[in-house]
Amino acid sequence: MTHRAWRLLLATLLLLAAAGCNIRPREKPALPIPLETVLPPSWKPVGELTEINIDEDKASEWLLRYRYDGGLIGAVIYDTQSKADPYRVAEKLPHQPAFLIAYPLLPNTEDDYGLGYIGNDKAEYKTEDTNANGRPDVLLLLGYWRGVPTRLTMAWWIDAKEGYGVAHVVSDEPLQFDEPGYWKERARRLKKVITRRRMNDRSNLCERHEYRVNWKDHRFVLARSEITFCQGRPQDPVYPEGTVLSFLLQLEKAVPPQQQGSVFDRMMTQDGIKAWEKLFGDDAFAKRKQLHVLRIEYDGPLGDQVEVRTIHRDRKGQHRLVWQLKRQRPREITGTVTWRITDVRRDEEVKRR
């Protein structure tokens, strides 16, 4: 074999060796010290230890999701610091001048629900580069309950003393994003998060909250709230307040009375239609955006005639509508009790504010 051939063979072997190094499976991230030495005995790890980096240094952090109190999921980030902060519990790392510091992520909400609570079944994560400089600086944790997402936690680095800041939103029904494919697609930027909190009432109503995601200040800013049905508009509302809300939710596609499928004919008496026309004049039967309900009030016990009050907000401020409904008793055993709107008026005693 010539000298040139030997050189070609040697180069080929070197290339193959380098390729072999590149295709070796990547080792799983590991803490500088055994995990069992830093975990409380009652914590049970959930999923794998995850290597992240969302602070201002080049060293990695380790995200651990764990199960505590017999079922709930929490999260903690372990970070290496060159010195131990007196306000933090630190573990001296062997063979190096550094400390391992635990920063628990303790989310909270304005009503004090969700303290330290990341998820029920599982908690997925993703990072965001909010500064568009190629370095992730925000961690998001999506918590699941019974297979659907119900909690979103945002975490970001503050400093060695404060650790990570946390913002949090909670939903009793599946949490929604303004971008349906956001969680799986890296290129999209989340703008809004929608939650529904149950009111635990007889008509299965929820408070629907729409939050604007403020990436600069790391906040979920409440942009709009309204009352809606937790699991979609029912076909046959059983209670009068459900009838009123169902009527309002159909106004965007409403057609005038006497036309096929008119919500006015189906849910109002002739007196109710006249009252609606008196209230809204020439635009009474035009398609309109639904009247968003901020609050709904009703009295009990139920009689054949009942009153429901709805609070709304428009460009002029808040106002209240007062509804009168009449019970429609079923004519057959298979029928259900329904309600028809007999009157609606604006409560003039409630000043706009």
Side-chain angles (χ1 to χ4, degrees), residues 62-127:
W62 292 270
L63 168 67
L64 175 68
R65 288 152 287 176
Y66 59 89
R67 199 173 294 280
Y68 70 100
D69 288 355
L72 303 180
I73 296 176
V76 59
I77 294 178
Y78 294 101
D79 194 10
T80 53
Q81 300 289 337
S82 58
K83 61 181 180 180
D85 191 284
Y87 296 96
R88 294 283 176 180
V89 177
E91 181 78 14
K92 181 69 171 64
L93 295 180
H95 313 301
Q96 54 180 305
F99 295 85
L100 185 70
I101 301 177
Y103 293 101
L105 303 182
L106 300 176
N108 198 3
T109 58
E110 293 181 0
D111 53 11
D112 289 334
Y113 294 142
L115 181 62
Y117 183 9
I118 303 295
N120 295 77
D121 303 337
K122 63 177 181 177
E124 298 175 342
Y125 85 97
K126 69 183 300 185
T127 56

Coordinates of all heavy atoms in Angstrom, one line a residue, residues 62-127:
W62 N -30.9 22.7 37.7 CA -31.6 21.5 37.6 C -33.0 21.6 38.1 O -33.2 22.0 39.3 CB -30.9 20.4 38.4 CG -29.6 20.0 37.8 CD1 -29.3 19.1 36.8 CD2 -28.3 20.6 38.0 NE1 -28.0 19.0 36.5 CE2 -27.3 20.0 37.2 CE3 -27.9 21.7 38.9 CZ2 -26.0 20.3 37.2 CZ3 -26.6 22.0 38.9 CH2 -25.6 21.3 38.1
L63 N -34.0 21.4 37.3 CA -35.4 21.4 37.6 C -35.9 20.1 38.1 O -35.7 19.1 37.4 CB -36.2 21.9 36.4 CG -37.8 21.8 36.6 CD1 -38.3 22.7 37.6 CD2 -38.4 22.0 35.2
L64 N -36.4 20.0 39.3 CA -37.0 18.8 39.8 C -38.5 19.0 40.1 O -38.8 19.9 40.8 CB -36.3 18.3 41.1 CG -36.9 17.1 41.8 CD1 -36.7 15.9 40.9 CD2 -36.3 16.9 43.2
R65 N -39.3 18.1 39.5 CA -40.7 18.1 39.8 C -40.9 16.9 40.8 O -40.4 15.8 40.6 CB -41.5 17.9 38.6 CG -41.6 19.2 37.7 CD -41.8 18.8 36.2 NE -40.6 18.3 35.7 CZ -40.5 17.8 34.4 NH1 -41.6 17.9 33.6 NH2 -39.4 17.3 34.0
Y66 N -41.7 17.2 41.8 CA -41.8 16.2 42.9 C -43.3 16.1 43.4 O -44.0 17.0 43.2 CB -40.9 16.5 44.1 CG -41.2 17.8 44.7 CD1 -42.1 18.0 45.7 CD2 -40.5 19.0 44.2 CE1 -42.4 19.2 46.3 CE2 -40.8 20.2 44.8 CZ -41.7 20.3 45.8 OH -41.9 21.6 46.4
R67 N -43.6 15.0 43.9 CA -45.0 14.8 44.5 C -44.9 14.9 46.0 O -44.0 14.3 46.6 CB -45.5 13.4 44.1 CG -47.1 13.3 44.2 CD -47.6 12.0 43.6 NE -47.4 12.0 42.1 CZ -48.2 12.6 41.2 NH1 -49.2 13.3 41.7 NH2 -47.9 12.4 39.9
Y68 N -45.8 15.6 46.6 CA -45.8 15.9 48.0 C -47.2 15.8 48.6 O -48.2 15.8 47.8 CB -45.2 17.2 48.4 CG -46.0 18.4 48.0 CD1 -46.8 19.0 49.0 CD2 -46.1 18.9 46.7 CE1 -47.6 20.1 48.6 CE2 -46.9 19.9 46.4 CZ -47.6 20.6 47.3 OH -48.4 21.6 47.0
D69 N -47.3 15.7 49.9 CA -48.6 15.6 50.6 C -49.5 14.5 49.9 O -50.7 14.7 49.8 CB -49.3 16.9 50.5 CG -48.7 17.9 51.5 OD1 -47.8 17.5 52.2 OD2 -49.1 19.1 51.5
G70 N -48.9 13.4 49.5 CA -49.7 12.3 49.0 C -50.3 12.4 47.6 O -51.0 11.6 47.1
G71 N -49.9 13.5 46.9 CA -50.4 13.6 45.5 C -50.1 14.8 44.7 O -50.0 14.7 43.5
L72 N -50.0 16.0 45.3 CA -49.8 17.2 44.6 C -48.4 17.3 44.1 O -47.5 16.7 44.6 CB -50.2 18.4 45.5 CG -51.6 18.4 46.1 CD1 -51.8 19.7 46.9 CD2 -52.6 18.4 45.0
I73 N -48.2 18.1 43.0 CA -46.9 18.2 42.3 C -46.4 19.6 42.6 O -47.0 20.6 42.4 CB -47.0 17.9 40.8 CG1 -47.4 16.5 40.6 CG2 -45.7 18.2 40.2 CD1 -47.6 16.2 39.1
G74 N -45.2 19.6 43.1 CA -44.4 20.9 43.3 C -43.2 20.9 42.4 O -42.9 19.9 41.7
A75 N -42.4 22.0 42.5 CA -41.2 22.0 41.7 C -40.1 22.8 42.5 O -40.4 23.7 43.3 CB -41.5 22.7 40.4
V76 N -38.9 22.5 42.2 CA -37.8 23.2 42.9 C -36.6 23.2 41.8 O -36.5 22.3 41.0 CB -37.3 22.4 44.2 CG1 -36.9 21.0 43.8 CG2 -36.2 23.2 44.8
I77 N -35.9 24.3 41.9 CA -34.7 24.5 41.0 C -33.5 24.5 41.9 O -33.4 25.3 42.8 CB -34.8 25.8 40.1 CG1 -36.0 25.7 39.2 CG2 -33.5 26.0 39.4 CD1 -36.2 26.9 38.3
Y78 N -32.5 23.6 41.5 CA -31.2 23.6 42.2 C -30.2 24.3 41.4 O -30.1 24.1 40.2 CB -30.8 22.1 42.4 CG -31.7 21.3 43.4 CD1 -32.6 20.4 42.9 CD2 -31.6 21.5 44.8 CE1 -33.4 19.7 43.7 CE2 -32.4 20.8 45.6 CZ -33.3 19.9 45.1 OH -34.1 19.2 45.9
D79 N -29.6 25.3 42.0 CA -28.6 26.1 41.3 C -27.3 26.1 42.1 O -27.2 26.0 43.3 CB -29.2 27.6 41.2 CG -28.4 28.4 40.2 OD1 -27.6 27.9 39.5 OD2 -28.7 29.6 40.2
T80 N -26.2 26.2 41.3 CA -24.9 26.3 41.9 C -24.5 27.8 42.0 O -24.6 28.6 41.1 CB -23.8 25.6 41.1 OG1 -23.9 26.0 39.7 CG2 -24.1 24.1 41.1
Q81 N -24.0 28.2 43.2 CA -23.6 29.6 43.5 C -22.2 29.5 44.0 O -21.8 28.6 44.7 CB -24.5 30.2 44.4 CG -26.0 30.4 44.0 CD -26.1 31.4 42.8 OE1 -25.3 32.3 42.7 NE2 -27.2 31.2 42.0
S82 N -21.4 30.6 43.8 CA -20.1 30.6 44.3 C -20.0 30.8 45.8 O -19.0 30.5 46.4 CB -19.3 31.7 43.6 OG -19.9 33.0 43.8
K83 N -21.0 31.4 46.4 CA -21.0 31.5 47.8 C -22.4 31.3 48.3 O -23.4 31.5 47.6 CB -20.5 32.9 48.2 CG -21.3 34.0 47.7 CD -20.7 35.4 48.1 CE -21.6 36.5 47.6 NZ -21.0 37.9 48.0
A84 N -22.5 30.9 49.6 CA -23.8 30.6 50.2 C -24.5 31.9 50.7 O -23.8 32.6 51.5 CB -23.7 29.6 51.3
D85 N -25.7 32.1 50.4 CA -26.5 33.2 50.9 C -27.0 32.9 52.3 O -27.5 31.8 52.5 CB -27.7 33.5 49.9 CG -28.3 34.8 50.3 OD1 -29.0 34.9 51.3 OD2 -28.1 35.8 49.6
P86 N -26.9 33.8 53.2 CA -27.3 33.5 54.6 C -28.8 33.2 54.7 O -29.3 32.6 55.7 CB -26.9 34.7 55.4 CG -26.8 35.8 54.4 CD -26.3 35.1 53.1
Y87 N -29.6 33.6 53.7 CA -31.0 33.4 53.8 C -31.5 32.1 53.1 O -32.6 31.8 53.1 CB -31.7 34.6 53.1 CG -31.5 35.9 53.7 CD1 -30.5 36.8 53.3 CD2 -32.3 36.3 54.8 CE1 -30.3 38.0 53.9 CE2 -32.2 37.5 55.4 CZ -31.2 38.4 55.0 OH -31.0 39.6 55.6
R88 N -30.5 31.4 52.6 CA -30.8 30.1 51.9 C -30.1 29.0 52.5 O -29.0 29.1 53.0 CB -30.4 30.2 50.4 CG -31.2 31.3 49.6 CD -32.6 30.7 49.3 NE -33.4 31.7 48.6 CZ -34.7 31.5 48.2 NH1 -35.2 30.3 48.4 NH2 -35.3 32.4 47.6
V89 N -30.7 27.8 52.4 CA -30.0 26.6 52.8 C -29.2 26.1 51.7 O -29.7 25.9 50.6 CB -31.1 25.5 53.2 CG1 -30.4 24.2 53.6 CG2 -31.9 26.0 54.4
A90 N -27.9 25.9 51.9 CA -27.0 25.5 50.9 C -26.2 24.3 51.2 O -26.0 23.9 52.4 CB -26.0 26.7 50.6
E91 N -25.8 23.5 50.2 CA -25.1 22.3 50.4 C -23.7 22.5 49.7 O -23.6 22.8 48.5 CB -25.8 21.1 49.8 CG -25.1 19.8 49.9 CD -25.3 19.2 51.3 OE1 -26.2 19.6 52.0 OE2 -24.6 18.2 51.6
K92 N -22.6 22.3 50.5 CA -21.3 22.5 49.9 C -21.0 21.4 48.9 O -21.3 20.2 49.2 CB -20.3 22.4 51.0 CG -18.8 22.5 50.6 CD -18.5 24.0 50.1 CE -17.1 24.1 49.8 NZ -16.6 23.3 48.7
L93 N -20.6 21.7 47.7 CA -20.3 20.7 46.7 C -18.9 20.2 46.9 O -17.9 20.9 47.2 CB -20.4 21.4 45.3 CG -21.8 21.9 44.9 CD1 -21.7 22.5 43.5 CD2 -22.8 20.7 44.9
P94 N -18.8 18.9 46.8 CA -17.4 18.2 47.0 C -16.5 18.6 45.9 O -16.9 18.7 44.7 CB -17.8 16.7 47.0 CG -19.0 16.6 46.2 CD -19.8 17.9 46.4
H95 N -15.2 18.8 46.3 CA -14.1 19.0 45.3 C -14.2 20.3 44.5 O -13.6 20.3 43.4 CB -14.0 17.8 44.4 CG -14.0 16.5 45.1 ND1 -13.1 16.1 46.1 CD2 -14.9 15.4 45.0 CE1 -13.4 14.9 46.5 NE2 -14.5 14.5 45.9
Q96 N -15.0 21.2 44.9 CA -15.1 22.5 44.2 C -15.6 23.6 45.1 O -16.4 23.4 46.0 CB -16.0 22.4 42.9 CG -17.4 21.9 43.2 CD -18.2 21.8 41.9 OE1 -18.4 22.8 41.2 NE2 -18.8 20.6 41.7
P97 N -15.1 24.8 44.8 CA -15.5 26.0 45.7 C -16.9 26.5 45.3 O -17.0 27.7 44.9 CB -14.4 27.0 45.4 CG -14.0 26.7 44.0 CD -14.1 25.2 43.8
A98 N -17.9 25.8 45.5 CA -19.3 26.2 45.1 C -20.3 25.5 46.1 O -20.0 24.6 46.8 CB -19.6 25.8 43.7
F99 N -21.5 26.1 46.0 CA -22.6 25.6 46.8 C -23.8 25.2 46.0 O -24.0 25.9 45.0 CB -23.0 26.6 47.9 CG -21.9 26.9 48.9 CD1 -20.9 27.9 48.6 CD2 -21.9 26.2 50.1 CE1 -20.0 28.1 49.6 CE2 -20.9 26.5 51.1 CZ -19.9 27.5 50.8
L100 N -24.5 24.2 46.4 CA -25.8 23.9 45.7 C -26.9 24.5 46.5 O -27.1 24.1 47.7 CB -26.0 22.4 45.6 CG -27.2 21.9 44.8 CD1 -27.0 22.3 43.3 CD2 -27.4 20.4 44.9
I101 N -27.8 25.3 45.9 CA -28.8 26.0 46.6 C -30.2 25.6 46.0 O -30.3 25.6 44.8 CB -28.6 27.5 46.6 CG1 -27.3 27.9 47.2 CG2 -29.8 28.2 47.3 CD1 -27.0 29.4 47.1
A102 N -31.1 25.3 46.9 CA -32.5 24.9 46.4 C -33.4 26.1 46.4 O -33.5 26.9 47.4 CB -33.0 23.8 47.3
Y103 N -34.1 26.4 45.3 CA -35.0 27.5 45.2 C -36.4 26.9 44.9 O -36.7 26.6 43.7 CB -34.6 28.4 44.1 CG -33.4 29.2 44.3 CD1 -32.2 28.8 43.7 CD2 -33.4 30.3 45.1 CE1 -31.0 29.5 43.9 CE2 -32.2 31.0 45.3 CZ -31.0 30.6 44.7 OH -29.9 31.3 44.9
P104 N -37.2 26.7 45.9 CA -38.6 26.1 45.6 C -39.4 27.1 44.8 O -39.3 28.3 45.0 CB -39.2 25.9 47.1 CG -38.0 26.0 48.0 CD -37.0 26.9 47.3
L105 N -40.2 26.6 43.9 CA -41.1 27.4 43.2 C -42.5 27.4 43.8 O -43.1 26.3 43.9 CB -41.3 26.9 41.7 CG -39.9 26.9 40.9 CD1 -40.2 26.4 39.5 CD2 -39.2 28.2 40.9
L106 N -42.9 28.5 44.4 CA -44.2 28.5 45.2 C -45.2 29.5 44.6 O -45.2 30.6 44.9 CB -43.9 28.9 46.7 CG -42.9 28.0 47.4 CD1 -42.6 28.6 48.8 CD2 -43.5 26.6 47.6
P107 N -45.9 29.0 43.6 CA -46.9 29.9 42.9 C -48.0 30.2 43.9 O -48.4 29.5 44.8 CB -47.4 29.0 41.8 CG -47.2 27.6 42.2 CD -46.0 27.6 43.0
N108 N -48.6 31.4 43.6 CA -49.8 31.8 44.4 C -50.7 32.6 43.5 O -50.3 33.0 42.4 CB -49.3 32.8 45.5 CG -50.3 32.9 46.6 OD1 -51.4 32.3 46.6 ND2 -50.0 33.7 47.6
T109 N -51.9 32.8 43.9 CA -52.9 33.6 43.1 C -53.5 34.6 44.1 O -53.3 34.5 45.3 CB -54.0 32.7 42.5 OG1 -54.7 32.0 43.6 CG2 -53.5 31.7 41.6
E110 N -54.2 35.5 43.5 CA -54.8 36.6 44.3 C -55.7 36.1 45.4 O -55.8 36.7 46.4 CB -55.5 37.6 43.4 CG -54.5 38.4 42.5 CD -55.2 39.4 41.6 OE1 -56.4 39.5 41.7 OE2 -54.5 40.1 40.8
D111 N -56.4 35.0 45.1 CA -57.4 34.5 46.1 C -56.7 33.5 47.0 O -57.4 32.7 47.7 CB -58.6 34.0 45.4 CG -58.3 33.0 44.4 OD1 -57.1 32.5 44.3 OD2 -59.2 32.6 43.6
D112 N -55.4 33.3 46.9 CA -54.6 32.4 47.8 C -54.8 31.0 47.4 O -54.4 30.1 48.2 CB -55.0 32.6 49.3 CG -54.4 33.9 49.8 OD1 -53.4 34.4 49.3 OD2 -55.0 34.5 50.7
Y113 N -55.4 30.7 46.3 CA -55.5 29.3 45.8 C -54.2 28.9 45.1 O -53.6 29.8 44.4 CB -56.7 29.1 44.9 CG -58.0 29.2 45.5 CD1 -59.1 29.8 44.8 CD2 -58.3 28.8 46.8 CE1 -60.3 30.0 45.4 CE2 -59.5 28.9 47.4 CZ -60.5 29.5 46.7 OH -61.8 29.7 47.3
G114 N -53.8 27.7 45.2 CA -52.7 27.3 44.4 C -51.3 27.5 45.0 O -50.3 27.4 44.3
L115 N -51.2 27.8 46.3 CA -49.9 28.0 46.9 C -49.0 26.7 46.8 O -49.3 25.7 47.3 CB -50.0 28.4 48.4 CG -48.8 28.7 49.1 CD1 -48.0 29.9 48.5 CD2 -49.1 29.0 50.6
G116 N -47.8 26.9 46.1 CA -46.9 25.7 46.0 C -47.4 24.6 45.2 O -46.9 23.5 45.3
Y117 N -48.3 24.8 44.3 CA -49.1 23.8 43.7 C -48.9 23.9 42.1 O -49.5 24.8 41.5 CB -50.6 23.9 44.1 CG -51.6 22.9 43.6 CD1 -51.2 21.7 43.0 CD2 -52.9 23.1 43.9 CE1 -52.2 20.8 42.6 CE2 -53.9 22.2 43.5 CZ -53.5 21.1 42.9 OH -54.5 20.2 42.5
I118 N -48.2 22.9 41.5 CA -47.9 23.0 40.1 C -48.8 22.2 39.3 O -49.2 22.6 38.2 CB -46.4 22.5 39.9 CG1 -45.4 23.3 40.7 CG2 -46.1 22.5 38.4 CD1 -45.3 24.7 40.3
G119 N -49.3 21.0 39.8 CA -50.2 20.2 39.0 C -50.6 19.0 39.8 O -50.2 18.8 41.0
N120 N -51.5 18.2 39.2 CA -52.1 17.0 39.9 C -51.5 15.7 39.3 O -50.8 15.0 40.0 CB -53.6 17.0 39.8 CG -54.2 18.1 40.5 OD1 -54.3 19.3 40.0 ND2 -54.8 17.8 41.7
D121 N -51.8 15.5 38.0 CA -51.3 14.3 37.4 C -49.9 14.3 36.9 O -49.1 13.5 37.2 CB -52.2 14.0 36.1 CG -53.6 13.9 36.5 OD1 -54.0 13.6 37.6 OD2 -54.5 14.1 35.6
K122 N -49.5 15.5 36.3 CA -48.2 15.6 35.7 C -47.9 17.1 35.5 O -48.9 17.9 35.6 CB -48.0 14.9 34.4 CG -48.9 15.4 33.3 CD -48.6 14.6 32.0 CE -49.4 15.1 30.8 NZ -49.1 14.4 29.6
A123 N -46.7 17.5 35.2 CA -46.4 18.9 34.9 C -45.3 18.9 33.8 O -44.2 18.5 34.0 CB -45.8 19.6 36.2
E124 N -45.7 19.4 32.7 CA -44.8 19.6 31.5 C -44.1 20.9 31.6 O -44.5 21.8 32.4 CB -45.5 19.5 30.2 CG -46.2 18.1 30.0 CD -47.0 18.1 28.7 OE1 -47.4 19.2 28.2 OE2 -47.4 17.0 28.3
Y125 N -43.0 21.1 30.9 CA -42.2 22.3 31.0 C -41.8 22.8 29.6 O -41.7 22.0 28.7 CB -41.0 22.2 31.9 CG -39.8 21.7 31.2 CD1 -38.8 22.5 30.7 CD2 -39.6 20.3 31.0 CE1 -37.7 22.0 30.1 CE2 -38.5 19.8 30.4 CZ -37.6 20.6 29.9 OH -36.5 20.1 29.2
K126 N -41.5 24.1 29.5 CA -40.9 24.6 28.3 C -40.2 25.9 28.7 O -40.6 26.5 29.7 CB -41.8 24.8 27.1 CG -42.8 25.9 27.3 CD -43.8 26.0 26.1 CE -43.1 26.3 24.8 NZ -44.0 26.5 23.7
T127 N -39.2 26.4 28.0 CA -38.6 27.6 28.3 C -38.8 28.6 27.1 O -39.1 28.2 26.0 CB -37.1 27.5 28.4 OG1 -36.5 26.8 27.3 CG2 -36.8 26.6 29.6

